[in-house]
Amino acid sequence: MTVLRSILLFVLAAVAEIGGAWLIWQGWREHRGVLWIAAGIVALGAYGFVATFQPDPNFGRILAAYGGIFVAGSLAWAVLLDNFKPDRYDLAGATICLLGVAIIMYAPRGT
């Protein structure tokens, strides 16, 4: 259950951070307006709190592992919302990142 909770928190963090950055991008670069930018700022603020709910107490470990989630999540976001077509190198890189997340977060450690 702890691993499942951790994975769900990583997904929530990715949606908040990637979504927030995307909203700001849309507001500024695509001229959608200040409300999009404001929504992005709120989402990025929410992302800042999500990591605090991870069961592991080590900030560095959580943020390092989240980096891999961010890489894979950014590609997935781009596929779903921006018509991005990842190539095999994008997919290989994302897979390596997710393997790194699994090792960092879920490898057995002595207490």
Side-chain angles (χ1 to χ4, degrees):
M1 189 61 162
T2 302
V3 172
L4 179 60
R5 178 177 182 236
S6 174
I7 291 168
L8 291 173
L9 286 167
F10 277 132
V11 170
L12 180 61
V15 169
E17 185 182 21
I18 298 163
W22 184 80
L23 286 166
I24 291 171
W25 179 282
Q26 293 297 309
W28 187 258
R29 296 276 308 252
E30 304 299 326
H31 309 287
R32 293 199 172 168
V34 71
L35 291 179
W36 285 68
I37 294 169
I41 291 168
V42 169
L44 288 170
Y47 154 74
F49 286 97
V50 173
T52 67
F53 294 103
Q54 282 287 352
D56 189 295
N58 298 292
F59 174 81
R61 182 176 294 142
I62 299 300
L63 268 286
Y66 176 68
I69 301 293
F70 181 82
V71 169
S74 294
L75 291 172
W77 186 281
V79 166
L80 294 171
L81 289 150
D82 285 331
N83 250 357
F84 178 69
K85 306 283 190 251
D87 63 23
R88 63 184 170 170
Y89 300 108
D90 295 321
L91 298 175
T95 300
I96 291 167
C97 288
L98 292 175
L99 179 60
V101 171
I103 292 168
I104 290 169
M105 287 301 297
Y106 310 120
R109 290 186 165 82
T111 54

